[in-house]
Amino acid sequence: MEEFKIGLCPYCGMGCRFYIKTLNGQPIGIEPYPGGVNEGKLCPKGVAAVDFLRHKDRLKKPLKRTENGFVEISWEQAIKEIAEKLLEIREKYGSDTLGFFSSARCSNEENYLLQKIARLLGTNNVDHCARLCHASTVVGLAQTVGAAAQSGSYTDIPKAKVLLIWGYNPSETHPVLMRYILRARDNGAKIIVVDPRKTRTVWFADMHLQLKPGTDIVLANAMMHVIIEERLYDREFIMNRTKGFEKLMAVVQKYTPEYAEEITGVPAKLIREAAITFATAGRGIVMWAMGLTQHVTGAANVKALADLALICGYVGREGTGLFPMRGQNNVQGACDMAALPNVFPGYQKVTDDEKRKRVAEIWGVEDLPSKPGLTIPEMIDAAAKGELKALYIMGENPVMSDPNTEHVIEALKNLELLVVQDIFLTETAELAHYVLPAAAYAEKEGSFTASERRVQWNFKAIEPPGEAKPDWEILTMLGKALGLPKFDYSDVEDITREITLVAPQYRGITPERLKREVMGVQWPCPSEDHPGTPRLHVERFATPDGKANIIPVEFKPPAEEPDEEYPFILTTFRIVGQYHTLTMSNRSESLKKRWSSPYAQISPKDAKKLGIQDGEMIRIVTRRGSYTCRAVVTEDVSEGVIAVPWHWGANILTNDVLDPEAKIPELKVAACKVEKIGGC
């Protein structure tokens, strides 16, 4: 029998709805859903979203590593042995030798359970992939406006008069969102793109500020210099709703457009024009993603953009806002659920005695660990040093997603216990002692939170293959085996209801309501009769005194800069047809056929110097490793810049040095050299 079930796309953070078409219980295709934030439209990955569900590589039974490789074992044995080993390691070495990687591909309920397990075991060593993408945003926005989330809704975009798109290529990373951006352009909005590459988004821009990678602060400060010099800032907004403007004026004084041109490579005239266009529009939105955040100055970069929006009064009003765009379908939700080492659900600090005791009471214990835990990169380093003994990874693939791949592999091999819970035998799972088969998005229920803080229910369409189970069921089994209190969940809705008790922003977002209101609810939602909040900071900011903090920042160069041995700047990017570590997208034949292999963009001048022809094979080398791919000779990158899609393993090259505040690696800038191999 043919059926259509409402689905929620498992790829980016847009939150697109579609129908999953099934025949006799098997997925056979995707059909448009008339409505939702995507208005019935989908990107190539969304169209192919059922392709990987029944792939032959799906994990179907628990696996245990032996001297002869993996063998299949029962769920009972797997959970029993894992629980025993976790408790044994805790008893022998202490709670903080345990670590947990949560997942932005899993539901709110599943992220909530994993961080709950970590904390009930006595450690705050829990983190997820936001550490590699938007940790800078969390820190930067928390300090400036008090809320680490997108301030407006997608519907604000067409109402803006200027869009400043910084280090972000929505044409490829969030193609459906481009409909909103193009609608804004049709309504007369100016589009300013800041990016080291001439991306597809640049095709639609009025201005392209093609800066040198890692010089974002200089450019942002120069724009603010012009706005202040020309007295184009919003005096009333600054006076009534912010503090710190005088310090900003002093800091940006030296960042003239001419000074910025020397460092960024962007012509001073264009900097001045962009600043004036942005400040005089009246309603503006600032959008950003990994190109801004993945730097040693990532948190400072976000503060600079927040400052830029604040001095123009572009927050809290229709057609304005701060828009960090999430790369996975539940990055926002995983952060909200506290898959982070320093907060409990709802961003309640683990160091806050009152908040901690309240959460502990709900969970049935006297107290919880108060010392902030380790981040993903810090856990990897601790494992390499032998300080972290056990690591439980749910739906993450750090061998491919983290920088300095060889270091990651060495660290994981050094663990006494590595458990990986996933849908495929990933590069990380291949190193595990135990592998647990999880259900994919269409095979389970639960809630997910999109980039605009929209919480939506994911409906089950099909059964998982073999013995695979929803992540929340696996974690419930583990919690019981560990002897943790209050782990008697009969269904996923029980967990959702518990979330409403713990996370203040989710108080009115019940499972019953989400199933009824298919288009979801935007947090904060303090009660069940509250409509949700499309726009933050309307009357006051989420800071103690209600005022936004304008925090000036100074330029700091990247950790690595070109030199005689490594004369080029390496940067990485994402493409429309592949997704992150290829786990799902590369198991779609249609996507794999169109976007099949790695490549590197190199400028014609650099290619000529090196004797490289378009399509020839090259080797890129950094201080951490080497990577082979084909060359694409293009004007899309400036001389001296090598740009590589990271999906096929380019993180063997990238730098694992961290932003001191956000602890995010500098994935977007590394010094490299290029060697010609030849052939096609």
Side-chain angles (χ1 to χ4, degrees), residues 90-107:
R90 183 180 69 165
E91 179 67 24
K92 187 175 180 181
Y93 303 108
S95 297
D96 285 332
T97 62
L98 307 178
F100 298 83
F101 287 7
S102 202
S103 177
R105 291 193 293 124
C106 292
S107 69

Side-chain angles (χ1 to χ4, degrees), residues 48-63:
V50 300
D51 291 7
F52 67 87
L53 292 174
R54 289 297 180 258
H55 195 277
K56 62 180 177 59
D57 293 343
R58 282 293 301 275
L59 291 169
K60 298 176 182 177
K61 291 187 177 182
L63 303 175

Side-chain angles (χ1 to χ4, degrees), residues 15 18 20 35 47 157 164 229 246 270 337 357 403 407-408 411 439 519 541 553 574 578 593 603 622 627-628 633:
F18 49 51
I20 298 172
V47 171
I157 296 172
L164 179 58
E229 182 183 56
E246 293 77 13
L270 186 57
M337 295 302 107
K357 292 289 179 65
H407 174 60
V408 175
M519 297 335 303
F541 287 93
V553 292
R574 289 180 285 178
Q578 289 287 6
K593 183 178 180 181
S603 76
T622 70
Y627 181 72
T628 301
V633 180

Side-chain angles (χ1 to χ4, degrees), residues 141-149 241 315 505 523-524 536-549:
L141 290 187
Q143 291 182 19
T144 52
V145 297
R241 301 206 57 197
V315 184
Q505 298 91 330
W523 69 255
L536 300 177
H537 317 307
V538 174
E539 296 179 356
R540 68 187 313 275
F541 287 93
T543 55
D545 62 2
K547 289 193 172 186
N549 299 305

Side-chain angles (χ1 to χ4, degrees), residues 163-169 191-197 199 202 205 207-211 215-216 219-220 223 266 274 287 291-292 305:
L163 299 174
L164 179 58
I165 302 173
W166 200 301
Y168 171 44
N169 180 19
I191 299 176
I192 305 169
V193 174
V194 178
D195 202 295
R197 300 170 53 241
T199 65
V202 171
M207 281 175 261
H208 177 207
L209 281 59
Q210 191 169 9
L211 80 173
T215 62
D216 305 85
L219 181 57
M223 289 179 67
V266 180
M287 313 177 81
L292 183 83
L305 290 203

Side-chain angles (χ1 to χ4, degrees), residues 414-434:
N414 202 36
L415 292 163
E416 290 188 16
L417 175 65
L418 175 60
V419 181
V420 175
Q421 184 171 308
D422 216 316
I423 60 177
F424 291 106
L425 191 68
T426 63
E427 292 82 356
T428 302
E430 288 175 354
L431 304 176
H433 300 102
Y434 294 89

